[in-house]
C-alpha cells in the first residue's frame, strides 16, 4: 500500500520547540515523529512509530538468531517480588509506585529480573530444561527527576530486556558472549557509531557488565579510551592506577600549622609555598594535599543489623527501619574533584549525598574546610580513600580545627583508611591500565548494557531445580538490555544535517519518498505509476501528492523527514527524466524514469 502525504497524520514545524536542547529532540518534533504529552512522556505518531518498529524488528531478528524466545510480561507488577531483592527500597524515588483499590502496593516495571526468575521457576524443574533465554520488547517506566532531551531520557520508554538461565558459570559466559555478539550485529546493522565499555553493575548486581555507548557530544555519559590499546570504560568504571607505596620509616613527624583562611585547596597550596613547606623534598602542588569530602550514605540494613534492631525492639518489626543513614568520609587528592557519578556508582545500590549545613551542625567534630581523617577515625566515621592514597604517602590535610592544617600526615602511620573508593574525577591524560598509554575522554549515550548477574535473583526467588544427580541446584542468570526507543533518538543525533533527518534505510519509515513537483497531469500520473511499481516490487513508498503545496515546501519537507532516497518527478519529466536525491550522501542525479525502480532497488540492496 502506498502512503500518501495528503492523507498522512502529519504536521511539520519550521521552528524548533521551545524546550528542545539537542538535535534529535528538535528534529523528531519538527518532523512530526513524536509529540510531547507531559515532561518525559511522548506520543509516537505514524512516522515515528514506523521508525521504532523497524528498530524493534532488527533487534527481534538478532535475538531470535541466538535462540532467544520472545514473551511479554506485564508492566504492572506486585510489590512482593521486588521486596525479596530489596529493590522496592533500593530503587528509591525513581520507581513508580501505586496502590490498587484494595490498598495493595504495585509498581510500574523499570526492569524485570524478578518476574522473569519467577516465570522460569513456575515452568521449569529440571536441569534438562536449561539453558534457556527469554526476552521481551516492552514499555518501561522510571520516574526521572529531570527528564530531558525528548526521548533520550524519558519517564516512559521502549526497551528490549532479555534474560539467560544456565546451570553453571561456563554456560553463563556463553550466553553473555552470544548476547554481546548479537548486540554488535544489531548496532552494526543500524549504522550506529558506538563503543563497548567496561561498566559498573550498580543496582542490578552481578559479577561483570559492559555498556554499549553511542558516540555523541550530547551524551550524558563520559567514557574513556586508551591511546595505545583497546581499553574502554564508562567513567564510573575507570580503574585508577594505584599510588606508589613508600617506606614509612624515616619520614618526618606530622606537624600542625596555622593556616589562616586556607579553606580552599588553592589557598592551602599558596600558604604552603609561601611558608617554604615541601613534600618529599619538592614544592607543594594541589596533588600533595588531601581533601576529605563528607557524604551521607543511605542503605538497606544488613541481615545482622536487622536482627540486632529487631532484638532491641523486643521483636516489634514495625520499629525496625528499612534504611539506615551513616556518615562516610571520602579522601581524594586535592587536584581532583569528586565525580558524583563515580561516587554514586561506588555506593550503589545505596544512595549517597554530600553533607549540607545542617549535617555539619549535627556533627560538631566536623570543622568545615579543615576536616582530616584523624577526627573521623576518633569519632567512628568510616573513611574510604582514593587508590592513590597508599602506605607511606605523605599529605597536607585538615587538622580538624579552624584555620589549621597538618603537614606530613602519612598513610599507614598517622591514619589508615577503612577501604578504597573510586570517586575522584578522571582527567584527560591519566595513565591507562596495563601500560596502554593514556586515557582520552569522550561523551556517549547508553544504548545497551549486558550483565552477568549470577545467582542474586534466582537465590532471592528460590528458583530450585534438580540437577543431573537429583540434587537441588539453582540456575545462574544474565540480564541484557537495549534502549529501543532511545536508539531512534540516537540515530537522529548521529544522522542529520542542517536540513533535517537522514535515516539509514534499515530504520527509515519509508526507504523512498516520491515527490510530485509538477502540476502537469502527466507528471502526476507518472509519479503515481512509479510509486505503484515500487510498491509492487516490495519497496515501501511515501508519496507527496499534496495538490495545493508548492514544490519548495515539498522539498523542504522531504529533507526534514529524512527518507534516504527521494525521487522528484518535476520539470525534467517532459524528457522522461526524474531527479534522484540521495540524502545519505547528499548527491543529486538525473536518471531515466524507466530505470528509476531498478536504480532504487540496487541502492537498497547495497
Amino acid at each position: 500500500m502506498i502512503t500518501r502525504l495528503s492523507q498522512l497524520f502529519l504536521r511539520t514545524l519550521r521552528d524548533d520547540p521551545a524546550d528542545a536542547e539537542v538535535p534529535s529532540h528538535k528534529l523528531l518534533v519538527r518532523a512530526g515523529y513524536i509529540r510531547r504529552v507531559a515532561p518525559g512522556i511522548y506520543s509516537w505518531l505514524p512516522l515515528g512509530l514506523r521508525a521504532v518498529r523497524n528498530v524493534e524488528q532488527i533487534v527481534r531478528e538478532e535475538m531470535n538468531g541466538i535462540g532467544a524466545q520472545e514473551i511479554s510480561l506485564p508492566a504492572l507488577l506486585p510489590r512482593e517480588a521486588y521486596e525479596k531483592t530489596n529493590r522496592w527500597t533500593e530503587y528509591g524515588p525513581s520507581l513508580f509506585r501505586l496502590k490498587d483499590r484494595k490498598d495493595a502496593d504495585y509498581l510500574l516495571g523499570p526492569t524485570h529480573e524478578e518476574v522473569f526468575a519467577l516465570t522460569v521457576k513456575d515452568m521449569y524443574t529440571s536441569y534438562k530444561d536449561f539453558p534457556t533465554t527469554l526476552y521481551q520488547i516492552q514499555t518501561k517506566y522510571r520516574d526521572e527527576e529531570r527528564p530531558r532531551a525528548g526521548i533520550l531520557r524519558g519517564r516512559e520508554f521502549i526497551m528490549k530486556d532479555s534474560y539467560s538461565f544456565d546451570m553453571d558459570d561456563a554456560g553463563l559466559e556463553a550466553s553473555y558472549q552470544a548476547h554481546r555478539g548479537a548486540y554488535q550485529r544489531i548496532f552494526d546493522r543500524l549504522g550506529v557509531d558506538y563503543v563497548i565499555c567496561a561498566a559498573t553493575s550498580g543496582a542490578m548486581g552481578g559479577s561483570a557488565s559492559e555498556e554499549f555507548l553511542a558516540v555523541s557530544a550530547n551524551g550524558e555519559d563520559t567514557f574513556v579510551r586508551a591511546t595505545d590499546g583497546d581499553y574502554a570504560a564508562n567513567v564510573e568504571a575507570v580503574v585508577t592506577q594505584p599510588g606508589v607505596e613508600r617506606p614509612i620509616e624515616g619520614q618526618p613527624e606530622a606537624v600542625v600549622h596555622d593556616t589562616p583562611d586556607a579553606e580552599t585547596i588553592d589557598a592551602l597550596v599558596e600558604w604552603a609555598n609561601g611558608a617554604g613547606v615541601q613534600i618529599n623534598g619538592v614544592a607543594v602542588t594541589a596533588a600533595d594535599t588531601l581533601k576529605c569530602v563528607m557524604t551521607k550514605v543511605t542503605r538497606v540494613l544488613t541481615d545482622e543489623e536487622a536482627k540486632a534492631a529487631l532484638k532491641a525492639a523486643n521483636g516489634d518489626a514495625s520499629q525496625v527501619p528499612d534504611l539506615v543513614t551513616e556518615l562516610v568520609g571520602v579522601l581524594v587528592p586535592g587536584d581532583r574533584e569528586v565525580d558524583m557519578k563515580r561516587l554514586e556508582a561506588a555506593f550503589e545500590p545505596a544512595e549517597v549525598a554530600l553533607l549540607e549545613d545542617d549535617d555539619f551542625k549535627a556533627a560538631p567534630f566536623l570543622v568545615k574546610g579543615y576536616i582530616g581523617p584523624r577526627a573521623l577515625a576518633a569519632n567512628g566515621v568510616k573513611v574510604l580513600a582514593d587508590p592513590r592514597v597508599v602506605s607511606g604517602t605523605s599529605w597536607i590535610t585538615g587538622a580538624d580545627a579552624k584555620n589549621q592544617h597538618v603537614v606530613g600526615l602519612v598513610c599507614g602511620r598517622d591514619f589508615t583508611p577503612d577501604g578504597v573508593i573510586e570517586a575522584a574525577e578522571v582527567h584527560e591524560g591519566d595513565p591507562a591500565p596495563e601500560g596502554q598509554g593514556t586515557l582520552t575522554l569522550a561523551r556517549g549515550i547508553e544504548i545497551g548494557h549486558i550483565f552477568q548477574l549470577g545467582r542474586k535473583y534466582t537465590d532471592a526467588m528460590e528458583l530450585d531445580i534438580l540437577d543431573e544427580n537429583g540434587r537441588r541446584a539453582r540456575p545462574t542468570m544474565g540480564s541484557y538490555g537495549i534502549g529501543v526507543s532511545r536508539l531512534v533518538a540516537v540515530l537522529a543525533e548521529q544522522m542529520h544535517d542542517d536540513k533535517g533527518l537522514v535515516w539509514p534505510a534499515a530504520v527509515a519509515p519509508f526507504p523512498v519518498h516520491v515527490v510530485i513537483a509538477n502540476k502537469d497531469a502527466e507528471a502526476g500520473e507518472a509519479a503515481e505509476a512509479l510509486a505503484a511499481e515500487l510498491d509492487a516490487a516490495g519497496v515501501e513508498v511515501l508519496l507527496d501528492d499534496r495538490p495545493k503545496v508548492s514544490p519548495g515546501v515539498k522539498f523542504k519537507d522531504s529533507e526534514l523527514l529524512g527518507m534516504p532516497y527521494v525521487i522528484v518527478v518535476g520539470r525534467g519529466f517532459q524528457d522522461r527524466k526524474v531527479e534522484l536525491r540521495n540524502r545519505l550522501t547528499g548527491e543529486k542525479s538525473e536518471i531515466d524514469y524507466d530505470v528509476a525502480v531498478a536504480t532504487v532497488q540496487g541502492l537498497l540492496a547495497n
Side-chain angles (χ1 to χ4, degrees):
M1 178 181 290
I2 299 169
T3 299
R4 300 172 181 275
L5 262 174
S6 61
Q7 300 170 2
L8 186 65
F9 188 66
L10 175 70
R11 182 71 68 237
T12 58
L13 304 175
R14 294 295 163 229
D15 298 319
D16 294 332
D19 62 333
E21 300 174 352
V22 298
S24 62
H25 190 187
K26 296 174 183 177
L27 291 170
L28 290 172
V29 172
R30 283 185 54 210
Y33 282 71
I34 61 173
R35 280 294 184 274
R36 181 182 182 273
V37 175
I41 303 173
Y42 286 81
S43 298
W44 290 94
L45 302 182
L47 291 180
L49 190 59
R50 290 180 71 95
V52 78
R53 292 289 183 257
N54 288 338
V55 173
E56 286 181 10
Q57 186 56 29
I58 291 174
V59 171
R60 186 173 281 113
E61 288 171 4
E62 294 299 340
M63 291 306 301
N64 293 344
I66 61 171
Q69 300 175 69
E70 185 173 7
I71 65 175
S72 181
L73 297 179
L76 180 64
L77 303 169
R79 170 179 178 168
E80 289 75 17
Y82 286 77
E83 277 202 319
K84 289 184 178 180
T85 57
N86 288 325
R87 294 209 294 179
W88 175 263
T89 302
E90 288 174 354
Y91 256 110
S94 65
L95 195 67
F96 276 108
R97 298 173 173 84
L98 64 156
K99 291 181 180 288
D100 68 8
R101 66 183 68 197
K102 297 180 180 178
D103 209 36
D105 286 316
Y106 287 82
L107 67 145
L108 294 178
T111 182
H112 276 66
E113 282 74 14
E114 289 87 345
V115 187
F116 268 83
L118 286 174
T119 302
V120 172
K121 177 180 180 179
D122 184 53
M123 296 284 290
Y124 281 172
T125 58
S126 168
Y127 75 96
K128 297 177 182 179
D129 299 318
F130 297 89
T132 190
T133 297
L134 305 172
Y135 77 97
Q136 63 179 350
I137 298 176
Q138 187 207 57
T139 301
K140 307 288 188 182
Y141 303 87
R142 291 177 191 166
D143 192 3
E144 294 282 354
E145 182 179 4
R146 289 179 293 275
R148 60 176 294 275
I151 56 173
L152 273 177
R153 180 161 293 280
R155 296 194 290 172
E156 177 182 290
F157 52 94
I158 301 169
M159 178 177 167
K160 187 284 301 179
D161 51 326
S162 55
Y163 305 87
S164 62
F165 295 82
D166 290 276
M167 292 305 300
D168 53 34
D169 292 343
L172 172 58
E173 177 65 22
S175 294
Y176 184 89
Q177 293 301 329
H179 276 83
R180 195 178 194 271
Y183 278 32
Q184 290 174 286
R185 290 189 292 275
I186 288 167
F187 301 137
D188 289 343
R189 287 178 63 181
L190 292 172
V192 179
D193 178 14
Y194 70 97
V195 294
I196 306 174
C197 295
T200 58
S201 296
M204 295 287 288
S207 59
S209 74
E210 289 176 293
E211 196 170 63
F212 293 74
L213 293 177
V215 179
S216 172
N218 294 315
E220 289 188 331
D221 294 312
T222 302
F223 68 94
V224 302
R225 284 185 278 199
T227 55
D228 299 328
D230 58 2
Y231 175 78
N234 188 301
V235 73
E236 289 96 311
V238 171
V239 177
T240 302
Q241 299 306 290
V244 178
E245 294 190 2
R246 298 173 58 89
I248 293 175
E249 295 77 10
Q251 294 206 43
E253 292 299 313
V255 178
V256 174
H257 292 262
D258 290 327
T259 54
D261 301 320
E263 293 188 5
T264 67
I265 295 298
D266 287 343
L268 181 59
V269 171
E270 184 179 354
W271 166 83
N273 289 322
V277 172
Q278 293 186 335
I279 294 291
N280 300 322
V282 296
V284 171
T285 69
D288 298 312
T289 67
L290 194 61
K291 291 180 182 176
C292 191
V293 179
M294 294 308 303
T295 70
K296 50 185 177 183
V297 179
T298 302
R299 59 174 177 79
V300 176
L301 272 69
T302 65
D303 290 341
E304 292 75 15
E305 289 171 333
K307 289 177 182 177
L310 186 62
K311 183 177 180 180
N314 296 317
D316 184 358
S318 66
Q319 300 300 311
V320 178
D322 293 327
L323 302 171
V324 61
T325 298
E326 57 191 8
L327 296 180
V328 178
V330 175
L331 304 180
V332 296
D335 63 336
R336 308 275 166 156
E337 298 294 334
V338 165
D339 184 317
M340 285 305 297
K341 283 193 172 183
R342 281 170 61 78
L343 183 69
E344 290 165 356
F347 282 108
E348 279 183 334
E351 292 187 5
V352 61
L354 301 181
L355 263 59
E356 299 174 349
D357 288 342
D358 288 344
D359 300 310
F360 282 101
K361 291 177 183 177
F365 63 89
L366 298 176
V367 183
K368 196 172 182 180
Y370 300 91
I371 301 170
R374 293 194 290 190
L376 300 181
N379 286 275
V381 176
K382 186 176 183 180
V383 178
L384 302 177
D386 182 89
R388 284 164 279 240
V389 182
V390 295
S391 180
T393 53
S394 181
W395 305 90
I396 302 176
T397 189
D400 306 301
K402 186 73 173 177
N403 293 324
Q404 288 190 338
H405 283 84
V406 59
V407 175
L409 201 72
V410 176
C411 181
R413 183 191 71 186
D414 303 312
F415 71 100
T416 302
D418 297 299
V420 177
I421 187 170
E422 292 281 5
E425 63 185 2
V426 178
H427 289 175
E428 184 96 14
D430 281 348
E434 300 177 358
Q436 297 184 55
T438 59
L439 298 178
T440 61
L441 299 176
R443 305 289 289 178
I445 302 167
E446 181 183 353
I447 52 177
H449 208 150
I450 55 179
F451 301 85
Q452 292 189 28
L453 295 177
R455 292 176 173 81
K456 172 181 177 178
Y457 295 92
T458 54
D459 282 345
M461 301 302 146
E462 298 180 338
L463 200 173
D464 289 327
I465 56 97
L466 295 179
D467 67 13
E468 55 193 1
N469 298 313
R471 299 191 182 98
R472 285 187 178 182
R474 283 187 178 158
T476 182
M477 283 179 65
S479 174
Y480 319 90
I482 283 181
V484 173
S485 54
R486 179 177 284 188
L487 273 168
V488 175
V490 164
L491 289 167
E493 284 290 322
Q494 292 188 344
M495 301 180 185
H496 70 270
D497 58 20
D498 58 351
K499 299 174 183 177
L501 298 162
V502 183
W503 295 112
V507 177
F510 300 92
V512 180
H513 186 164
V514 175
V515 176
I516 301 174
N518 192 325
K519 294 182 179 180
D520 179 73
E522 187 179 359
E525 291 171 2
E528 293 271 1
L530 178 61
E533 190 176 349
L534 286 164
D535 181 61
V539 179
E540 294 185 307
V541 182
L542 178 65
L543 174 63
D544 192 346
D545 61 340
R546 293 174 292 177
K548 297 181 180 180
V549 177
S550 70
V553 171
K554 289 183 177 181
F555 295 153
K556 285 187 177 297
D557 279 345
S558 71
E559 292 165 342
L560 177 61
L561 297 180
M563 309 313 156
Y565 302 108
V566 180
I567 300 176
V568 179
V569 182
R571 294 177 181 176
F573 183 69
Q574 59 187 1
D575 298 321
R576 295 194 66 79
K577 299 286 186 180
V578 295
E579 184 180 59
L580 176 62
R581 299 182 176 186
N582 187 330
R583 289 284 286 132
L584 300 171
T585 64
E587 297 175 342
K588 297 179 182 179
S589 58
E590 194 174 60
I591 62 174
D592 290 334
Y593 172 85
D594 296 326
V595 301
V597 172
T599 301
V600 168
Q601 286 179 308
L603 290 169
L604 293 174
N606 292 327

